[in-house]
Amino acid sequence: MDQFSFFDDEVVEKSDSAGMLNVVKLDFLKGESLCWEDLFSGFDHLHAITYSSGIGFISKLLELFKSAEIIFGCEQVMSYSLNEVMAYQTKLIERIRSSKVKDSLITRIQDETLRLYVTRTKLSHEKIYLLSAEDGRKRVVMGSANMSYQAFAGHQRENISYMDGDEAFDWYMGIYQSLKEDCTDEITGNALLVADDCEHLDELPVSQTVKVKKALAIVPDESSTENVEFALDVSNLSVKLKPLNPKADKKGKILLSPTQIVSMRTHAKETQEREKETRKEFPQLVLDTDNGTAMLNDVKLDLQPSADEIRNDVTLFLQFMDGYKNFHGDFEYMQRRYFEFANWFFCTPFMAVMRDTAVRYNQNTLPYPIFGLVYGQSKAGKTSFLETLLKMMIGQKTRMAAPEFTRKTIDGLRYEVKGAPIIVDDLTQTRFTQHAIETIKNDAFGVSEKMVHYPAVVISANEDVKAVAPEIIRRTVICRVQAGLTNTEVMKSSIVRKVQKNIGTAFYREYLRKMFEYVPELIEDMKDDDIDAAPDILKLSSEVIYEILSKHAEHLPKYVRKLSLQDYFSEKVTGNHAIQTIRTAWKTSRNCFDIDKKTGTIRYNAGQSYDADRIIKELPETLEPRKSREWVIMNLDEAREFFGIDFRMTWLDKMRKG
């Protein structure tokens, strides 16, 4: 294969004036052996462009100069879309912030002897170091070496040249200034202290440039798409091949032999066979929103089910939900929460394309969650509930056992399985903490690959999953249930077996037909920069379900209702457990509360430190919640509003507290 034509099969025409290259004609004088200190010493000022860098080397190099300016490029192949620019700037700042020399860099920025810039548009591949002295001497160092120890300490082969004199310096300074003015954002000292991709996103260099210029055009480099995709393919394949590598010795060196190559080939083949079996075991549901079609395991679904078929499924589903009336506890609340979860569950095959569109048009992906968690007391029907929903979607009850769940396994499945949710049954607190949390927080999954057909992940767990952190709550549809059956009642129950045996997929096929009518419009709305709120696909889904159930059911139960994103992620919803805990305690155990009107705070004794942790993680920031051992401390006025309680102690309450 011709390595030069591998990346570009277009015919290369003769360049016009716009495509002319800047070429410097040099004369060779001599070759030298120098250490990097000799190369850079004796000058006062530095202007540099570097493609990648080592922060420690930069700090050491800066000691040689009274003032310096450095332009950082990106080591990764990028198309320079807004999200990529922000992501790179965030990670570069985090890298500098976590370095041991952060303080010295900030000090020099503050005393104006150092200025740092980061590229925003198509990267300069030059590595240029412009050195000038106050006595008029000038030097240009150029070549392949980036600003790092690896490049300048002689550990790797580099092409390094230098020229002394005004003529070369002025030529390259013109190139430097052009790049600086047109293509970079400045990294301020404040940015190094606080900038991030969340609360302080406005402190990122590109955000500061917008503040100064009032407006900024971001034009992605579409010509680099092929190279970006190739780089991602290489990265993904590298991760896939890593487990096949022979073990390295203590120095990290891998010695390959023909036998080891054969062994790697054998393992690769075994891995491929396992992946094939996985694809067979898990269903492939592919939705084409452009053409309004659905394929299940390469078979086109009939999206025109008969009214009798739909009515059969609707009747059985409502009978299944009606069975929760026999549960001990607040079964009505349980029905409402299960219905909300079912609405999201049925909608999940559309989430990948919604998230992909959101990323492309710089919209938020949080309104399109791809993780669900059903947890609470045992024998609450969690497994049978999820199995029934999946049976209604695809006619199967596939699920993954908890011991098989790891981040690596689940991410591998998400690349292989399409559409239908992956159900992970009975996950423990330990495994949830070790594997699920980081998986859920990985918002970048599928983004760079532009995937539009990956599945949601649904986790069921018992009560030992005690506290769900805020960063998980805002990314996950959570259904906490507190009603259940006794062992005997579970054994006697037959409604689940009856429903799962007789229910079909007609309801869901009708649901898909109706969703296909409206989802393309939601996608188009997301492309509009002037939209006030993210298109609410969960609202649309509930309206479609409500319409189908209304048409084919004799009467609608109270839990069947139209929903919106607020029903899943409003503070009152995500903090429901904390609200119920505080309200119950106020009614029954007022001696657990201390109210301090002078400081405007209320304290609640949760009994145990971990219970206090659990409550705090569900409370909104407006309450200013904090913990002291087993005590939860909150702003009194905000607590009154949030919990709907006046929190006023009567004289009798005070007497009881002693």
Side-chain angles (χ1 to χ4, degrees), residues 5 157 159:
S5 64
R157 295 183 64 85
N159 179 16

Side-chain angles (χ1 to χ4, degrees), residues 55-56 93-103 105:
I55 304 301
I93 287 171
E94 285 179 0
R95 181 182 172 194
I96 297 174
R97 186 184 297 149
S98 62
S99 71
K100 296 178 181 179
V101 299
K102 174 195 70 174
D103 293 338
L105 295 179

Side-chain angles (χ1 to χ4, degrees), residues 304-345:
Q304 298 288 341
S306 68
D308 288 342
E309 289 178 305
I310 300 171
R311 192 174 301 111
N312 172 73
D313 289 355
V314 167
T315 301
L316 288 170
F317 174 67
L318 295 180
Q319 285 180 4
F320 179 85
M321 293 292 289
D322 194 56
Y324 292 120
K325 291 180 179 179
N326 300 319
F327 281 50
H328 304 285
D330 189 351
F331 70 85
E332 290 182 339
Y333 173 77
M334 186 177 187
Q335 286 176 320
R336 290 196 302 273
R337 297 296 287 139
Y338 270 168
F339 179 76
E340 293 165 8
F341 199 86
N343 177 59
W344 167 79
F345 192 98

Side-chain angles (χ1 to χ4, degrees), residues 45-239:
H45 309 290
L46 168 69
H47 295 75
I49 303 171
T50 180
Y51 188 44
S52 61
S53 56
I55 304 301
F57 180 77
I58 289 174
S59 178
K60 201 70 177 173
L61 181 64
L62 290 176
E63 294 176 3
L64 302 178
F65 298 95
K66 293 180 179 179
S67 70
E69 290 186 6
I70 302 172
I71 297 175
F72 293 100
C74 180
E75 301 174 44
Q76 304 300 321
V77 178
M78 287 172 57
S79 60
Y80 287 87
S81 61
L82 178 59
N83 55 291
E84 287 180 335
V85 169
M86 286 186 161
Y88 173 62
Q89 292 188 359
T90 300
K91 292 302 180 184
L92 176 62
I93 287 171
E94 285 179 0
R95 181 182 172 194
I96 297 174
R97 186 184 297 149
S98 62
S99 71
K100 296 178 181 179
V101 299
K102 174 195 70 174
D103 293 338
S104 65
L105 295 179
I106 292 175
T107 298
R108 293 204 58 171
I109 290 174
Q110 290 173 339
D111 65 20
E112 299 183 350
T113 63
L114 173 64
R115 302 186 76 172
L116 303 178
Y117 300 87
V118 59
T119 53
R120 179 196 339 114
T121 61
K122 193 171 184 179
L123 177 64
S124 167
H125 280 259
E126 300 146 309
K127 292 87 173 177
I128 302 173
Y129 307 89
L130 306 176
L131 319 179
S132 58
E134 293 176 355
D135 61 10
R137 289 177 298 107
K138 295 175 182 177
R139 171 174 290 180
V140 176
V141 180
M142 57 188 177
S144 63
N146 284 300
M147 193 177 285
S148 67
Y149 276 121
Q150 193 71 16
F152 280 104
H155 298 318
Q156 60 191 29
R157 295 183 64 85
E158 298 284 357
N159 179 16
I160 302 174
S161 306
Y162 75 90
M163 294 179 289
D164 291 331
D166 291 348
E167 193 172 356
F169 185 92
D170 293 343
W171 166 273
Y172 284 104
M173 180 57 80
I175 292 174
Y176 174 89
Q177 293 294 351
S178 176
L179 177 65
K180 172 184 165 183
E181 293 299 323
D182 299 335
C183 307
T184 67
D185 304 309
E186 185 167 6
I187 304 174
T188 64
N190 196 50
L192 288 181
L193 290 171
V194 301
D196 58 26
D197 59 343
C198 188
E199 183 179 356
H200 300 294
L201 184 142
D202 59 329
E203 293 291 343
L204 286 176
V206 66
S207 302
Q208 293 299 305
T209 300
V210 172
K211 288 181 182 179
V212 173
K213 294 187 175 182
K214 306 303 181 185
L216 187 66
I218 301 291
V219 182
D221 179 13
E222 297 296 337
S223 65
S224 65
T225 300
E226 183 178 331
N227 288 340
V228 172
E229 291 177 352
F230 178 78
L232 289 168
D233 287 343
V234 171
S235 177
N236 292 333
L237 183 57
S238 173
V239 172

Side-chain angles (χ1 to χ4, degrees), residues 594-614:
D594 279 339
I595 297 173
D596 189 336
K597 293 182 179 179
K598 290 183 180 180
T599 60
T601 59
I602 179 171
R603 301 201 317 157
Y604 166 65
N605 190 322
Q608 298 291 337
S609 178
Y610 64 79
D611 285 325
D613 280 329
R614 182 175 191 168

Side-chain angles (χ1 to χ4, degrees), residues 28 42 72 100 113 140 166 176 183 306-307 329 358 362 365 429 433 449 470 499 520 555 560 623 630 637 646:
F28 180 82
F72 293 100
K100 296 178 181 179
T113 63
V140 176
D166 291 348
Y176 174 89
C183 307
S306 68
N362 299 313
T365 60
Q429 170 72 54
T433 302
E449 301 92 333
V499 169
H555 70 279
V560 175
L623 270 67
E630 70 274 15
D637 291 335
D646 61 8

Side-chain angles (χ1 to χ4, degrees), residues 514-534:
K514 290 183 174 294
M515 288 290 284
F516 281 137
E517 294 177 11
Y518 304 107
V519 169
E521 185 177 338
L522 288 189
I523 292 174
E524 286 302 312
D525 288 344
M526 205 181 302
K527 299 175 183 179
D528 185 356
D529 291 335
D530 298 324
I531 58 173
D532 295 328

